[in-house]
């Protein structure tokens, strides 16, 4: 029997609860002898999820907890990259942070955090890709209250991976590796500190990071050809009545000669 659906909401969930859970997650990755559990990147995903969101007062108040969680998670390259971004959030004027965030993510698509935009643009395929992600959320018994965000919004995908379904979420990140790398490269070309969040996430995925945009584009699978309408000969295109039947319907049955 499936458990009742629970709620996952990046837009309205408590940042304090999520941030406080980071230290517990980081500590759980350390074994009693001081060894660290391999290939468990939940802290990276949760910190990146929070750091990529709008830097309001509530989020900025949690920055010390983010820093503590990264410190406990170790010195892997992904953690080092995140530490740089968290330091930026901690030391930059809040008003400046907010202006930069809006300019970077809200006023242009050049750095958009919606994964399927990078793979499917505004084609019909994107709707199908978004539906697939929504189905993954539902299969995990979590209802996603997006508050206007699409299901491919990267902070939401990262939180889902960190807190709900690590295996399914990681598979989703690998599936959209090209999109992640394209966002990373776009942010690095802009010189944005937010690039470090993408550097950290990509460092947790298999394979080397592509060195340039062309290499990142090559990671995308060939899209299926879009088809509009129905094929010629499809039974749904055939008339419901023959010509003779249509004439009968229009003029009535033929009359016999007098």
């Amino acid at each position: 029997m499936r458990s009742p659906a629970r709620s996952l909401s990046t837009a309205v969930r408590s940042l304090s609860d999520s941030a406080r859970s980071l230290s517990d997650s980081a500590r759980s990755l350390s074994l009693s002898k001081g060894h660290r559990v391999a290939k468990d990147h939940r802290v990276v995903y949760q910190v990146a999820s929070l750091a990529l969101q709008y830097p309001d007062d509530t989020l900025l108040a949690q920055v010390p907890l983010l820093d503590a969680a990264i410190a406990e998670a170790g010195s892997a390259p992904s953690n080092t990259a995140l530490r740089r971004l968290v330091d930026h959030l901690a030391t930059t004027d809040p008003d400046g942070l907010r202006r930069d965030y809006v300019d970077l993510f809200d006023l242009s698509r050049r750095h958009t955090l919606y994964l399927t935009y990078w793979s499917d643009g505004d084609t019909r395929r994107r709707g199908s890709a978004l539906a697939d992600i929504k189905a993954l959320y539902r299969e995990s018994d979590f209802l996603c209250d997006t508050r206007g965000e699409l299901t491919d919004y990267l902070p939401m995908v990262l939180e889902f991976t960190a807190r709900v379904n690590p295996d399914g979420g990681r598979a989703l990140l690998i599936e959209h590796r090209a999109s992640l790398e394209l966002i990373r490269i776009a942010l690095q070309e802009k010189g944005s500190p937010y690039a470090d969040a993408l550097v950290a996430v990509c460092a947790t995925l298999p394979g080397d990071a592509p060195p340039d945009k062309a290499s990142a584009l090559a990671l995308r699978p060939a899209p299926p050809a879009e088809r509009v309408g129905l094929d010629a000969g499809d039974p749904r295109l055939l008339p419901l009545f023959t010509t003779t039947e249509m004439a009968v319907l229009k003029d009535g049955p033929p009359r016999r000669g007098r």
Side-chain angles (χ1 to χ4, degrees), residues 49-176:
S49 170
L50 294 168
L52 284 170
Q53 295 184 56
Y54 180 76
D56 59 15
D57 289 340
T58 304
L59 174 60
L60 294 179
Q62 311 309 319
V63 166
L65 290 175
L66 304 186
D67 185 68
I70 297 170
E72 290 199 39
S75 57
S78 56
N79 299 335
T80 302
L82 273 181
R83 174 64 65 80
R84 290 194 298 265
L85 176 55
V86 171
D87 286 346
H88 172 72
L89 296 176
T91 59
T92 304
D93 173 67
D95 290 336
L97 284 174
R98 291 164 190 148
R99 285 194 301 269
D100 291 345
Y101 187 95
V102 171
D103 289 344
L104 191 66
F105 295 119
D106 294 345
L107 299 183
S108 172
R109 292 186 176 184
R110 294 179 181 273
H111 316 99
T112 183
L113 297 176
Y114 296 99
L115 296 177
T116 63
Y117 175 80
W118 294 90
S119 56
D120 298 302
D122 288 324
T123 66
R124 292 174 179 83
R125 295 189 306 273
R126 190 180 183 194
S128 177
L130 291 169
D132 289 343
I133 298 174
K134 184 176 183 178
L136 176 64
Y137 293 163
R138 285 184 170 177
E139 288 169 2
S140 300
D141 289 334
F142 273 73
L143 298 178
C144 203
D145 180 8
T146 64
R147 285 298 179 95
E149 297 292 359
L150 297 175
T151 56
D152 63 339
Y153 181 53
L154 179 56
M156 186 181 301
V157 173
L158 291 170
E159 184 183 9
F160 175 81
T161 306
R163 304 183 69 191
V164 180
N165 185 343
D167 292 335
R170 180 175 168 80
L172 185 62
L173 293 172
I174 292 173
E175 178 183 349
H176 291 278

Side-chain angles (χ1 to χ4, degrees), residues 172-186:
L172 185 62
L173 293 172
I174 292 173
E175 178 183 349
H176 291 278
R177 177 68 179 272
S179 297
L180 293 168
E181 298 289 3
L182 288 169
I183 299 171
R184 172 185 64 80
I185 291 170

